[in-house]
Amino acid sequence: MRKLMIVTFCCLSSGAQGADQATVKDVVGWARDGNQEFVALLTGVGRGVEGANMTIGFKQRELTLYCQPNIAITGDQYLRIIGTHIERHPERGNLEPALIGIVMTMALIEAFPCK
């Protein structure tokens, strides 16, 4: 199953620009429709960004990208965070799926701003 998801994701993010190319919005939509592989993908991306943010914070706290409260974020919450973000910034939803990590980072910065 994981190999299928990786192959699918690679196919979605490659190829010529065109009307049939998938977008970040498509990936979020498939996850919202209950496709567990894409929910897992978004969860993994979110946890990766979270790990990078924590690593930066260990080095110098004032350099963190965002200030997540001391809670564990679930896959459904990552989906809501990125879904809300692309609703507010539709141009980011039109980016190719290979840029989903960047969109997730921007979504987490928006969801958990540092005060």
Side-chain angles (χ1 to χ4, degrees):
M1 185 62 75
R2 287 183 187 177
K3 287 180 183 177
L4 175 61
M5 186 175 88
I6 291 168
V7 169
T8 301
F9 187 68
C10 289
C11 291
L12 292 173
S13 62
S14 65
Q17 286 284 79
D20 60 348
Q21 185 176 5
T23 64
V24 169
K25 184 177 178 180
D26 293 328
V27 173
V28 171
W30 296 324
R32 281 184 171 167
D33 289 344
N35 185 310
Q36 291 304 303
E37 287 83 11
F38 287 103
V39 171
L41 172 73
L42 291 174
T43 302
V45 168
R47 290 204 174 125
V49 172
E50 182 180 339
N53 192 55
M54 290 174 61
T55 302
I56 293 168
F58 289 138
K59 293 283 186 182
Q60 262 189 5
R61 185 65 187 158
E62 65 271 7
L63 292 179
T64 58
L65 299 170
Y66 61 94
C67 296
Q68 178 179 327
N70 192 17
I71 59 168
I73 300 175
T74 67
D76 288 338
Q77 290 167 324
Y78 281 121
L79 177 56
R80 280 196 306 273
I81 289 167
I82 196 169
T84 298
H85 184 77
I86 64 171
E87 287 170 6
R88 290 182 182 152
H89 308 278
E91 72 282 0
R92 295 179 186 163
N94 293 327
L95 296 172
E96 63 183 81
L99 299 175
I100 201 160
I102 294 169
V103 177
M104 180 67 80
T105 301
M106 291 186 286
L108 290 166
I109 290 169
E110 186 175 76
F112 303 114
C114 296
K115 296 177 184 179

